[in-house]
Amino acid sequence: MNQRRSVSLESKKPLTNSTFRTTQLSTPKQDLNTYKPFSPSKEAKLQLFRKIFNVKKPKTSTVMNFYDIDTVTPVVCQSAQLDKYEFPNWLKGRTDFIKLRKSKYFDYHLKVFSICEQDPFKRSDELKEIVANYLVKLDFFRLMPMQMLKQISGRLFAKSYEENEIICNKGDKGDCMYVIFDGFVEVVGKNKKLGPKNIIGRNALDNDQPRNATLKSLGSTHLLILNRIDYVTILNNIMKAESVKQEQFIRSLQLFAHFSEEKLKKFCNALQGKYLTPNENLYSAGDLVDHLYIVKHGNLAKTVVMDLEDQNRWPINQKKWMSQTITRTLSFNIEYKAGSLVGYYDILDSEFDSDRKRNETIDAKTDCFLLFISKSQFFHVFQQTDLQYFHNYHVQNNPLTFEQLVKSTRQKESEQKQKVQIVTDAIYSHLRQYSFDYNTLKIKEKKYDQVKQNQVNASKQFNSQYKIIRRDKHLKILTSQYE
């Protein structure tokens, strides 16, 4: 009993400077060597705090963010959901804890940006993993292996912009991609506003075409920037490291089962990789035929638009007919899933035509990873006799000439109309069995109206008689009272 009273009294004592230093969550380097033991009440509270986060008691303090004694590098709690936990009231009111919650060592989100501000050569594997866990949740990075994300995390750098500051001008050289970490960016002239986690200038990682728009920051904006030279170097290294997996994937495709081991090996060594974000364009109609693509992950889609004309005719008299032509525009998507070849038939037709252009537009429907080979390398690997396999594959899997599409669409529409007509006839035949003709329904409707009117009249008559009876009864009561 005395012991409990002493603990409660001690907890009410004002905090001194020594107590303040010994209960800091993020212990500075100079305090690690001058550690002072906690009082029993503070030790009990810290045990409760560890129990909330299921943290084992370490050699030093690992309550939330701490410094490892050996490396003296900041270690951040891997859970980014600290806001879901309810901190004890005694901890919430401390000024050092309030200041700590606003620091980059506590906030997982701010920690990512602070890491990218550091020198790339001084980032440890733990810090790269923190940034990689942030990137894997974004479009474009979602399909990348963790090894590649860690390498990119080591090359990303952060940059901040003030309000209305120009990020890049239209016509500038495009040599990097931007990831909006915080804030908003305006695409000048297009009335477009982009927010956090949006990616800008993805095509700059593939080519050095100039910027097609001016970007301006709206308010304080923080961006993560990835240079093309770093991205290309990392992607090539990953492709070499995973060459065995890429070769196994190519061998699993039915089309390449006919070719020799040496030829497939040569083909796989020439393959490159390409990542696409949802709705990103792979190539458009009018672009030069330059590459053959193989879908490894994700879905691509080709939008086909066609105008169908239908003619309606009806007689005016015995000799003349009126006609009307109705034009309908239909659009539908043709999907290319994992294992599909894209754009190869244009290459087959353009062997001796270097200026041949694409006649279709292909867009990414989801996050995609493609393997591709250039036109020149393709003809360097495969000879003229090998191209027959590609022609046969195209005929079997893509009978998609415009005339065939129109014929197929009309056939499907005709089948659909027949199905609708069958259902309509069945409904009408069912109704005819269990319904009356028009004259019978009219007679029954008149009878129903007459019955309804009779009921209304009877109700009125009853109400009038009830009032008369009630009035007579009231008069008799009054006369009896006066008598």
Side-chain angles (χ1 to χ4, degrees), residues 294-327:
I294 303 174
V295 183
K296 187 176 183 186
H297 297 293
N299 292 335
L300 297 175
K302 175 174 69 174
T303 302
V304 179
V305 180
M306 61 174 61
D307 294 330
L308 296 181
E309 292 185 354
D310 295 325
Q311 190 173 26
N312 296 333
R313 300 176 70 244
W314 60 94
I316 299 177
N317 51 42
Q318 294 181 353
K319 296 183 178 181
K320 290 185 178 181
W321 286 71
M322 283 289 292
S323 64
Q324 182 181 14
T325 302
I326 301 174
T327 303

Side-chain angles (χ1 to χ4, degrees), residues 11-29:
S11 62
K12 295 180 181 179
K13 290 179 181 181
L15 295 174
T16 62
N17 293 334
S18 61
T19 310
F20 177 81
R21 285 196 299 271
T22 57
T23 57
Q24 283 185 340
L25 292 178
S26 183
T27 311
K29 180 180 178 181

Side-chain angles (χ1 to χ4, degrees), residues 295 297-301 335-338 363-369:
V295 183
H297 297 293
N299 292 335
L300 297 175
E335 292 191 9
Y336 297 91
K337 299 182 180 180
D363 298 311
K365 194 173 182 181
T366 61
D367 285 292
C368 297
F369 177 61

Side-chain angles (χ1 to χ4, degrees), residues 44-217:
K45 292 176 180 177
L46 286 176
Q47 288 179 1
L48 175 62
F49 187 72
R50 295 189 191 104
K51 187 176 180 180
I52 292 175
F53 292 98
N54 194 20
V55 178
K56 296 181 179 180
K57 185 176 180 180
K59 297 178 182 179
T60 59
S61 173
T62 56
V63 178
M64 187 56 55
N65 302 319
F66 58 94
Y67 286 83
D68 186 80
I69 293 179
D70 299 327
T71 59
V72 198
T73 55
V75 182
V76 181
C77 178
Q78 293 298 321
S79 175
Q81 302 176 348
L82 296 179
D83 292 336
K84 294 183 179 180
Y85 296 100
E86 185 66 26
F87 293 98
N89 293 329
W90 67 270
L91 188 63
K92 288 181 181 179
R94 293 186 60 88
T95 55
D96 58 339
F97 181 73
I98 295 173
K99 188 181 298 184
L100 177 65
R101 291 196 70 173
K102 297 179 181 179
S103 70
K104 60 185 179 182
Y105 298 108
F106 189 95
D107 193 320
Y108 187 86
H109 190 69
L110 294 177
K111 185 63 182 174
V112 174
F113 192 78
S114 67
I115 293 172
C116 294
E117 288 179 317
Q118 299 178 13
D119 187 344
F121 298 100
K122 294 182 180 180
R123 300 175 193 174
S124 64
D125 291 338
E126 292 80 6
L127 299 182
K128 292 178 183 178
E129 187 174 356
I130 292 173
V131 180
N133 288 330
Y134 168 80
L135 294 177
V136 76
K137 301 175 184 177
L138 306 181
D139 291 338
F140 179 68
F141 299 100
R142 193 170 286 119
L143 292 178
M144 294 182 183
M146 184 56 66
Q147 180 184 0
M148 183 175 179
L149 290 175
K150 287 182 179 179
Q151 294 185 30
I152 291 176
S153 301
R155 305 306 301 172
L156 277 177
F157 66 94
K159 191 172 182 180
S160 300
Y161 295 86
E162 300 297 330
E163 185 174 2
N164 295 326
E165 187 176 352
I166 297 298
I167 300 172
C168 67
N169 289 301
K170 184 176 181 180
D172 289 350
K173 182 181 179 181
D175 57 355
C176 63
M177 181 187 76
Y178 302 102
V179 179
I180 303 178
F181 185 80
D182 193 20
F184 294 90
V185 173
E186 178 188 1
V187 183
V188 180
K190 296 186 179 180
N191 195 22
K192 192 174 182 181
K193 180 180 176 182
L194 302 174
K197 297 186 178 181
N198 272 286
I199 293 176
I200 310 175
R202 221 277 323 149
N203 290 331
L205 299 180
D206 297 331
N207 52 65
D208 55 356
Q209 293 183 359
R211 302 289 186 186
N212 58 9
T214 298
L215 302 179
K216 183 176 67 174
S217 61

